[in-house]
Each structure stands twice: as C-alpha cells, then as structure tokens.
Amino acid sequence: MSVPLFIGSEVYRGSSYGPGHPLRVPRVSTVMDLCRAMGWLPAPQYRTSPRAKPAALTRWHSPGYVQALQRAEADGSVTDATRSQYHLGTLSNPVFGQMYSRPATGAGGVMLAAELLATGTQAVHVPGGGTHHGLPDRANGFCYLNDPVLAILALRQSGMPRVAYVDIDAHHCDGVQHGLAGDAETLLISTHEEGRWPFTGALDDDGGGNCVNLPLPRAANDTEMRAVLDGVILPFVQAHRPDVIVLQAGADSLDEDPLSRLSLSNRAYIDVLRALRPLAPRFLLLGGGGYNPWSVGRCWSALWATLAGAEIPDHLPDLGQSVLHGLSWGGGGRPLPAPHLLTTLLDPPREGPVSPEVQARIARLAARLRA
C-alpha cells in the first residue's frame, strides 16, 4: 500500500488577500509547519505544488478570464471594465500580489494529485485546494479559480471517471454544482449552513439528478453531522461506487469560525474522513473555507494525521504549541483563542440532540435514494 502524499507550497506563506479580508490569516503554511513540528511530514511524503499553466486552466475557465487574472496580478490593478466583467478587484476578490499565482498553484496541486492517484498513489492531501465558488468566467466568493472542478476533470482524464465529491464547507459549493450538475458519473454531495451565502443548495435542488444538497440549521452539532453521515453521505457514496472520492473539508463549519454559525468540532471532520476513506480505492482531500487561523490549522493537520495514520496526542509537544502560539488574526479586534486551541489538536466533542429539521431532511434524502 502506498503512503499518502501531501502537496504544499511556499506561495501561501505570507500571501494575503489584504489586511481587511478574512483571508489575511495564514492557513496552508500553518498546516505545513505544524505537521513538520509533529514529525508527520517527512520529505518522501511531501511534494511541491506546480503552478498550473494557463492552457490547463482553460479546461474549464474561459481564456479571457484567465488572461484578465494574469494581467491583474502583473499590473497590480484592474480597470472598471475588468472589475465589472470578471469580478476582480472587488471586496470579496481583491487585487493582491499573488492573485493569479496563488490560485494557479492550488489548481496545479490538484492536477498533480490526479496524476499521482492515476499512477499508484492511493491518497493525497492538497490543503491549498477546495476553492469551490469560482465560476468559468469570473471570480466568486474569495475564489479566483475552481480547483475542485479542475481536479474532477483531471481525474476523469486520468482514467477515474466515477467521482464522488463530498463538500462539508459551511458554504454551498455553487461553482462545482454549476460546472458538473447533470453529470451522471459525478456525484456531488454538499452539507452547508442554511440561509448563508451563496444562498444556493436547497434541499430539493438535485442539480439534474446527481446533486445531493443538505442545508444544516444554525448551531448544527457533531451528533447531527454523524446522523447526516450515516443517513445520507455514506449511502449515496456507496451506491455511486466511485473510482475516487474528493473530500472538500472547508474548516468554516467549526464552532470557532467567524464567518458561519455551525458548531462542529474537528472530530466530526475526522469522522467523515474515516468513514469515506474505505469506500473508494483513491482519495483526494482538499481544504476550502476557514477563517480562524487556529481552528483551520488544527483541523487540516488532524485530517492529514488521520489520512497518514499518525497518532494524534492528547497534548501537543512544545514544538507544535509554538506554531499555534505564533499565529494571529492579522489585525482587527477579534478575541484571543481559547487555551485549548494552543495546546491540543483535537477539539472537545460537540454532541447534542438531532433536531426534528435535520431528521426530516435526512429522511427525505434517504427516500430519494430508495426511489
């Protein structure tokens, strides 16, 4: 059995969307540093992500948009016409120094992952991937490119046509559904916070038959996520019989995240990963959203440890703690992290009742699978 591989890049270190943007915080570099501090990222398991070439990006994105994105990075500014047409230089998708090279690196990482999965590697983690809002001809929701769609197209081209894409980010994967709705070989499952931007992914939205959307009510807990996992996610994935599973593990469904109101612990993420991993011979783990630097770094590091078979200690050693102590919000008036976010990797479980709303939604989707 091959060892899992981790694809990262130094482009994420110090790269920021700007001082007022939620993505001013470090994320991928934190995971790299924390996993190395824990001894979980030996050199043979690490690969440096290439930057995707423009021609590869136009497998899905329009050539004009890719050119506009490159030009905006080179110029450090956009015209009013470019802003209007491509949604570049907006509050959500600002002009910044790596606005092309950073997302192109994420796209290059998932394309490399597809090559590795096609040639014997069984599992790959690309924490810089997961930008699931990007649209073919414009930026959207902090996402300049849509690497999950590019990954699925690359997996298909590499001989793995049946893909199950599972997205547990707090925000609906509108860009992925836009690209792949109605494609019978690709199963799309999304759990996301009800009533939150982009306000898509309603329970009755099946995207032409291959999409399973389950909005979660505010404060959804670990028990409810386990019920969704057992009642919806696993049965649909098993029925699809995928060649490869892609898990988008956006960390903004965690209780500490400032941009959502779900209340999961990172143990719920680990439960999803562990349950899905045996259901396909190949597995691609992506990042996604997540705007609390401590909770994101801890979650994605714990997921890598789980994928790689490393033991997660109850208490982090000094080297691991030093990585977390070195983080900050990068400005603003947000409170300091709770003490356990600096000394541990696993959250306390966040169990609770399964609400009638969640029970009813699980039952409705389960009935659809049986029909």
Side-chain angles (χ1 to χ4, degrees):
M1 180 178 293
S2 68
V3 296
L5 298 179
F6 182 115
I7 297 177
S9 172
E10 290 299 314
V11 75
Y12 301 102
R13 192 179 303 281
S15 172
S16 168
Y17 280 40
H21 197 283
L23 278 176
R24 66 185 179 274
V25 301
R27 305 185 321 151
V28 177
S29 58
T30 301
V31 179
M32 292 162 54
D33 292 344
L34 188 51
C35 289
R36 286 184 174 129
M38 298 299 296
W40 296 339
L41 202 55
Q45 287 183 261
Y46 180 82
R47 299 288 186 277
T48 297
S49 176
R51 184 186 303 175
K53 297 184 182 304
L57 299 176
T58 58
R59 288 182 188 176
W60 193 64
H61 291 283
S62 71
Y65 172 61
V66 174
Q67 292 168 7
L69 186 57
Q70 289 179 285
R71 187 166 57 249
E73 177 173 299
D75 294 347
S77 62
V78 294
T79 64
D80 290 342
T82 294
R83 183 180 299 106
S84 175
Q85 181 174 357
Y86 298 117
H87 294 189
L88 298 174
T90 65
L91 288 175
S92 292
N93 291 89
V95 173
F96 71 100
Q98 300 82 29
M99 62 184 295
Y100 169 76
S101 55
R102 174 168 160 165
T105 299
V110 301
M111 292 177 186
L112 173 59
E115 294 177 16
L116 293 167
L117 291 169
T119 54
T121 301
Q122 295 178 332
V124 182
H125 183 23
V126 188
T131 55
H132 59 177
H133 298 305
L135 294 169
D137 56 358
R138 63 186 186 274
N140 185 44
F142 308 170
C143 301
Y144 297 86
L145 298 172
N146 196 309
D147 63 82
V149 171
L150 292 167
I152 291 168
L153 296 178
L155 290 164
R156 180 179 299 164
Q157 187 177 43
S158 298
M160 292 167 279
R162 294 192 67 81
V163 178
Y165 174 81
V166 180
D167 191 309
I168 58 175
D169 193 287
H171 302 82
H172 178 244
C173 52
D174 56 336
V176 183
Q177 182 164 323
H178 176 85
L180 295 164
D183 176 4
E185 288 196 313
T186 305
L187 170 68
L188 303 180
I189 301 177
S190 177
T191 63
H192 45 273
E193 185 181 346
E194 182 177 32
R196 182 157 299 281
W197 189 94
F199 310 109
T200 52
L203 184 67
D204 60 358
D205 179 6
D206 70 357
N210 69 319
C211 299
V212 180
N213 286 301
L214 204 167
L216 297 172
R218 177 181 283 214
N221 58 54
D222 289 2
T223 314
E224 290 175 312
M225 191 63 187
R226 192 175 307 111
V228 169
L229 176 64
D230 293 339
V232 176
I233 296 175
L234 297 181
F236 271 93
V237 172
Q238 287 167 331
H240 189 66
R241 293 176 285 110
D243 300 311
V244 58
I245 294 171
V246 180
L247 174 60
Q248 197 270 21
D252 44 8
S253 296
L254 295 169
D255 183 72
E256 299 88 356
D257 196 87
L259 294 195
S260 75
R261 293 297 178 266
L262 299 178
S263 295
L264 299 186
S265 78
N266 58 26
R267 293 175 187 265
Y269 283 70
I270 291 171
D271 286 347
V272 173
L273 172 59
R274 283 177 171 160
L276 286 174
R277 181 62 193 92
L279 301 187
R282 300 289 183 266
F283 199 93
L284 175 57
L285 173 63
L286 305 177
Y291 309 97
N292 178 315
W294 295 275
S295 61
V296 174
R298 292 166 72 253
C299 182
W300 292 351
S301 297
L303 290 176
W304 168 247
T306 302
L307 193 66
E311 184 176 350
I312 300 174
D314 293 333
H315 200 79
L316 288 174
D318 290 346
L319 276 177
Q321 291 189 39
S322 68
V323 173
L324 297 173
H325 277 280
L327 301 177
S328 77
W329 286 106
R334 296 199 177 275
L336 294 174
H340 77 274
L341 293 178
L342 301 173
T343 59
T344 66
L345 212 58
L346 293 178
D347 295 328
R350 292 168 185 151
E351 307 293 347
V354 180
S355 70
E357 295 93 333
V358 171
Q359 292 179 28
R361 292 168 194 180
I362 292 172
R364 184 167 165 184
L365 291 173
R368 172 182 149 190
L369 183 60
R370 293 193 299 269

